[in-house]
Amino acid sequence: MKRESWASRSGFIFAAIGSAVGLANIVRFPHLVGQHGGAAFVLVYIASLFVVGIPVFFSEVLLGRRARSNPYGTFKKLGRSKLWSSAGKLPVFTAFFVSAFYCALAGWILGYLGEALVGTLGDLHSTEAAAALFAQRSGSATWCLVWHGTFALGCTGVLLLGLRNGIERGCKWMLPLMVILLLALVVRGLTLPSALPALEYLFAPKWEELTAAGVLMALGQSFFTLSIGQGTMITYGSYLKKGESLFKTCVTVALADTLISLLAAIGVYTVVFSSGHSPEGGLGLIFQTIPVVLNSLPFGWLIAIIFFVLVTLAAVTSEISAMEPVVAYLVDEWKWSRRKAVLATGAGIFAVGVPCALSTNLLGQVSAWGQNILELSDAFATGLLIPIGALLGILLLGWGQRRKLQLDATDLGTRTATQTRIVRGYLMTAIRYVGPAIIVVIFLTNVLM
Ligand code: PHE
């Protein structure tokens, strides 16, 4: 069967940015910036993008394009020994695991979009009321399961439409809409009197607040947000036609993703500062602070809807990209039809995500190290599975292939010999030495700390 491919280069770019931009940009990034020293964190984050994020991203897309296969097939085809094929199973597993817990989390967002649409959020005028609503909703197993299931169903539906009609077309309208909604939020935020203090809080570098843990967070964030380490970019790369300049494309995706994170941070904090709320972050910010703050603004109900549509779209374009490696694996290796593969993946992530959806209600008692099942799953994926997956990808490209690592001018998209030398030198060093070394350090610190 002929392998599908993107209809155009821009199709890949839209899909890759859609994958990259997700809950990590809108929920996690603003929180991290606020907590770990403002611009100091942003600078470390950008450095980690260039030192490891982009090289791993580039490696995965290139591997996928060379092998034209799912992550397991890619490791099997390109790896020098049998061991590599076994290693290739890990990214497929990680993709499945991430899709499952991400779906449960995104279910809450979708549920809150529902609440915004029926007007429940409009009644929240105090932090206590918002906290009570959140406790009630997340404490209801039915509510969590219904929205988890609805989100899984929606993403399965997009994937059933296929690569070009589902993922590519979907991202081509969802991403621009997301950017427009985000800009609307940012413009609203910047026209509030609180804009200046918020920007100062966010972007004044506070180096004394940046700890070793903050640096690790920046590295982890650059992995999760670029959707690397779990086969997504290998799979998306496998649908690319030969002969496109990969490096430029990868940098474009990474920078667009970063820009969106920064805009999200500006939008979120300017709005939050307008009411003098404390800028504590994470999920509380999204589900409790923002709805209350918005209610104190003119047309706050509308901004709330815009905000939750924005986050839902971001989550959909990420979730489908987390599911696709599993679908591709079933199609390539088990020779299933795409339809059967998508349906099985959708059912599978729903089932495996159920304990996460129940982590704040029926299974609320189950915890370890003070974290519930959803938080543990997130930590397990971002702290362990994803760094190992990223390491395997970069090692396969740098050292493990049957043929020697070569990066030609087309891979790099460079025009002159000097450019080629510089970019190749940078990527070779990052892929072979610096990237693996840093990932090992992150990994060990996560495991030992
Ligand atoms: N990059 C997505 C985000 O920022 C999450 C994601 C991770 C999606 C891994 C696919 C694969 O939310």
Side-chain angles (χ1 to χ4, degrees):
M1 200 172 59
K2 201 174 161 301
R3 193 175 180 75
E4 276 192 288
S5 64
W6 304 107
S8 63
R9 186 176 98 100
S10 66
F12 168 78
I13 295 186
F14 274 89
I17 299 180
S19 167
V21 174
L23 301 180
N25 303 63
I26 304 174
V27 183
R28 199 185 281 170
F29 186 81
H31 165 61
L32 289 175
V33 178
Q35 286 235 311
H36 296 281
F41 179 87
V42 176
L43 290 177
V44 174
Y45 166 77
I46 292 177
S48 46
L49 271 187
F50 279 93
V51 178
V52 261
I54 292 175
V56 176
F57 186 89
F58 171 83
S59 304
E60 294 194 355
V61 179
L62 184 64
L63 286 169
R65 187 174 70 172
R66 279 197 182 153
R68 300 187 64 71
S69 187
N70 68 89
Y72 168 71
T74 297
F75 276 71
K76 189 172 65 177
K77 273 192 195 161
L78 302 181
R80 218 183 288 145
S81 68
K82 269 232 146 8
L83 260 174
W84 282 109
S85 330
S86 324
K89 294 206 168 134
L90 183 84
V92 180
F93 170 77
T94 309
F96 181 69
F97 188 81
V98 169
S99 323
F101 83 77
Y102 201 80
C103 184
L105 191 59
W108 286 1
I109 305 275
L110 188 59
Y112 259 64
L113 172 59
E115 305 290 347
L117 285 171
V118 297
T120 329
L121 298 187
D123 298 333
L124 301 176
H125 292 287
S126 68
T127 320
E128 292 74 36
L133 180 79
F134 184 66
Q136 201 275 331
R137 295 299 189 262
S138 62
S140 153
T142 318
W143 190 86
C144 290
L145 282 179
V146 165
W147 289 113
H148 168 55
T150 312
F151 190 79
L153 216 61
C155 293
T156 307
V158 176
L159 288 178
L160 273 180
L161 292 173
L163 183 74
R164 289 188 180 184
N165 289 332
I167 303 181
E168 187 166 344
R169 251 207 217 149
C171 289
K172 274 200 162 164
W173 71 260
M174 282 192 262
L175 190 65
L177 180 59
M178 213 158 80
V179 172
I180 294 172
L181 297 179
L182 181 61
L183 288 177
L185 187 74
V186 170
V187 169
R188 182 70 195 104
L190 287 177
T191 48
L192 291 168
S194 54
L196 260 184
L199 291 178
E200 216 177 283
Y201 172 78
L202 266 179
F203 295 121
K206 286 161 277 196
W207 291 102
E208 66 289 353
E209 283 179 20
L210 186 72
T211 54
V215 175
L216 277 179
M217 290 284 191
L219 281 159
Q221 170 74 5
S222 71
F223 281 17
F224 192 69
T225 189
L226 287 181
S227 307
I228 50 190
Q230 55 129 36
T232 288
M233 289 305 154
I234 298 183
T235 311
Y236 274 14
S238 76
Y239 301 131
L240 266 175
K241 292 188 198 124
K242 293 252 176 322
E244 279 153 20
S245 64
L246 279 193
F247 179 66
K248 226 167 55 195
T249 309
C250 294
V251 175
T252 310
V253 173
L255 293 184
D257 179 65
T258 306
L259 188 67
I260 291 185
S261 289
L262 291 171
L263 287 174
I266 296 175
V268 166
Y269 280 104
T270 45
V271 167
V272 169
F273 266 67
S274 69
S275 66
H277 271 77
S278 79
E280 49 89 42
L283 292 178
L285 190 71
I286 301 297
F287 294 119
Q288 298 174 29
T289 315
I290 288 196
V292 178
V293 172
L294 290 180
N295 285 335
S296 61
L297 298 178
F299 295 105
W301 59 272
L302 182 63
I303 310 177
I305 295 176
I306 290 180
F307 179 74
F308 282 104
V309 172
L310 159 74
V311 191
T312 303
L313 292 176
V316 171
T317 52
S318 293
E319 176 71 7
I320 53 177
S321 79
M323 292 166 73
E324 183 63 20
V326 186
V327 174
Y329 170 77
L330 295 174
V331 171
D332 293 341
E333 306 299 326
W334 294 12
K335 308 290 173 225
W336 284 10
S337 67
R338 181 169 177 97
R339 193 183 154 75
K340 184 171 163 193
V342 170
L343 289 175
T345 307
I349 61 144
F350 172 74
V352 174
V354 164
C356 292
L358 299 181
S359 65
T360 47
N361 38 71
L362 292 185
L363 299 178
Q365 298 306 320
V366 186
S367 70
W369 299 286
Q371 296 189 307
N372 67 26
I373 301 179
L374 181 61
E375 291 161 341
L376 287 171
S377 307
D378 182 6
F380 179 55
T382 43
L384 259 157
L385 296 176
I386 289 180
I388 300 181
L391 182 64
L392 289 174
I394 204 169
L395 285 180
L396 173 64
L397 186 71
W399 304 98
Q401 290 187 93
R402 286 204 197 103
R403 50 185 254 200
K404 224 175 129 236
L405 171 61
Q406 275 168 346
L407 301 174
D408 49 42
T410 353
D411 295 332
L412 303 177
T414 42
R415 291 213 191 91
T416 63
T418 326
Q419 276 181 5
T420 309
R421 220 176 316 116
I422 296 173
V423 178
R424 188 188 281 142
Y426 152 60
L427 281 174
M428 284 282 199
T429 323
I431 291 171
R432 297 195 119 168
Y433 307 101
V434 183
I438 292 187
I439 301 172
V440 169
V441 171
I442 310 182
F443 175 73
L444 290 180
T445 327
N446 277 336
V447 174
L448 301 177
M449 272 191 356

